[in-house]
Amino acid sequence: MEAILLVGGQGTRLRPLTISTPKPLLPTAGVAFLAHQLARAHASGVERIVFATSYRAEMFEAAFGDRAYGVDLAYVSEDEPLGTGGAIRNAARALTCGPDDPVLILNGDILSGHDVRAQVKVHEAAAAEVTLHLTEVDDPSRFGCVPTADDGRVTAFLEKTPHPVTNQINAGCYVFRRSAIDAIPEHEVVSVERETFPSLISSGAVVMGYVESGYWLDVGTPEAFVRGSRDLVLGALASPAMPGEPGERLALAGARVAPGAVVRGGTTVGRGAVVEAGATVIGSVLLEDAYVAEGATVRDSVLSRGARVGPGAVLDGVVLGDGAVVGPGNELRCGVRVWPGIELPPTAIRFSADD
């Protein structure tokens, strides 16, 4: 089976992490986020993947080459953003399968543990044009709402409606019949959510929903990105690409965690990163050469490459860009983002009074 992997977005919700690195290439539990998708796709029977790229397109081939994690890879870039449907149609020119063959469509910002093989079986049994993975959430108003009939056939596709009729949402993984992809207009901006799926449904084409509510996460925000990395390290979602066994922390080669430091909660300590004695790091992502000084506390945060946290500083739900420096005694909370190269002097920002 072949697949198309949509990785063209700029990842603006994750800035400053994505200023220099596309979102799908951000280190997540020790490897690029896409490594987990490639490994899971291979385990699901996918033999070849076409990357639909745009933003910093050259970085994807540099990262993975023509084969990785058991999957052959090809790359097709957009000169201008074409939307989800346009990107799929553009990438389809690199497919080699026949018109009736299934093509898996994956989104480069979704971490999912659902059974892809079972989704493909539903698609083939129904002779469907498209089969969508659907998952159930508490608040469906933030997503595409997808009601289905008793036989699993999709009856409507309601993109981000304030009055959802079901808690089933579009989970971002599709199986297309190849001919349905070829029917998408070429060289045009097309949204599968707002145009392709509603058009197929209104025409009477068979569009199926495969409902499975296992692990699923859109990692498009800093909070979700940290959670996804943490869950992989802790083993809440298994991944063949994990560079170590599940546990309270993952320390990569060259990382140094001093005796007396507390590092747990699914934290990743990247290559060359240092956590000094007396520091506490919980549920966080420390990228290459990050540094946490003695007495500092880092929780649910991301420290980009070369970022430094001074003695006694507190970070809770914070993102530090590449090379950012937080001086001693600072207290950063509530989603604060520090851009690359910025240096905060000692006690520049606090959320509480001095002791």
Side-chain angles (χ1 to χ4, degrees):
M1 185 167 57
E2 290 185 295
I4 292 173
L5 183 52
L6 301 174
V7 291
Q10 295 189 19
T12 53
R13 293 182 297 164
L14 272 170
R15 287 179 179 165
L17 300 177
T18 52
I19 290 175
S20 60
T21 304
K23 174 172 52 179
L25 295 182
L26 289 173
T28 309
V31 294
F33 178 77
L34 284 187
H36 301 291
Q37 287 193 318
L38 295 179
R40 290 187 61 83
H42 174 64
S44 299
V46 175
E47 298 176 346
R48 186 171 182 271
I49 292 180
V50 180
F51 281 46
T53 65
S54 180
Y55 177 63
R56 295 190 177 273
E58 73 286 349
M59 295 184 68
F60 292 93
E61 188 166 6
F64 294 111
D66 58 8
R67 185 172 175 82
Y69 296 94
V71 180
D72 292 329
L73 304 174
Y75 304 86
V76 177
S77 185
E78 307 167 26
D79 294 330
E80 296 181 1
L82 295 171
T84 48
I88 292 169
R89 181 66 181 89
N90 187 56
R93 54 195 169 99
L95 294 173
T96 62
C97 60
D100 292 327
D101 290 332
V103 179
L104 184 67
I105 310 297
L106 300 167
N107 271 278
D109 53 6
I110 299 296
L111 192 59
S112 176
H114 83 284
D115 188 338
V116 171
R117 290 182 186 270
Q119 183 180 353
V120 174
K121 286 182 180 179
V122 167
H123 176 81
E124 294 180 330
E129 295 299 298
V130 183
T131 300
L132 291 71
H133 171 216
L134 308 178
T135 191
E136 297 173 326
V137 298
D138 294 332
D139 180 14
S141 64
R142 299 186 297 114
F143 304 93
C145 176
V146 187
T148 52
D150 291 341
D151 62 357
R153 189 161 175 170
V154 174
T155 57
F157 197 95
L158 309 172
E159 180 65 6
K160 294 182 181 177
T161 173
H163 304 292
V165 297
T166 175
N167 66 342
Q168 292 178 175
I169 67 160
N170 170 26
C173 176
Y174 320 125
V175 181
F176 269 77
R177 186 193 298 265
R178 168 64 191 273
S179 58
I181 295 177
D182 292 339
I184 297 172
E186 199 170 7
H187 308 304
E188 294 184 18
V189 178
V190 180
S191 166
V192 292
E193 299 87 356
R194 292 180 172 84
E195 298 173 70
T196 305
F197 297 152
S199 176
L200 285 169
I201 293 165
S202 64
S203 73
V206 177
V207 177
M208 297 296 293
Y210 170 73
V211 183
E212 183 183 338
S213 295
Y215 187 98
W216 181 86
L217 183 66
D218 177 345
V219 298
T221 66
E223 297 82 6
F225 171 72
V226 170
R227 178 185 165 189
S229 182
R230 181 172 62 227
D231 286 349
L232 286 162
V233 173
L234 291 171
L237 176 66
S239 169
M242 273 285 295
E245 294 298 318
E248 285 292 318
R249 73 188 191 203
L250 172 66
L252 301 185
R256 183 168 67 85
V257 178
V262 176
V263 181
R264 58 181 175 82
T267 292
T268 298
V269 186
R271 292 174 179 80
V274 175
V275 182
E276 294 285 13
T280 299
V281 182
I282 299 174
S284 296
V285 181
L286 276 54
L287 300 188
E288 182 178 344
D289 296 326
Y291 174 83
V292 182
E294 60 182 351
T297 299
V298 177
R299 182 187 298 272
D300 300 336
S301 297
V302 183
L303 276 58
S304 295
R305 298 169 185 85
R308 299 178 66 84
V309 178
V314 176
L315 276 64
D316 191 347
V318 172
V319 176
L320 301 186
D322 292 351
V325 177
V326 176
N330 280 286
E331 184 183 349
L332 307 181
R333 301 182 184 275
C334 304
V336 166
R337 307 183 190 203
V338 181
W339 248 239
I342 297 298
E343 182 170 351
L344 296 180
T347 61
I349 299 176
R350 294 190 62 81
F351 280 72
S352 59
D354 292 335
D355 294 333

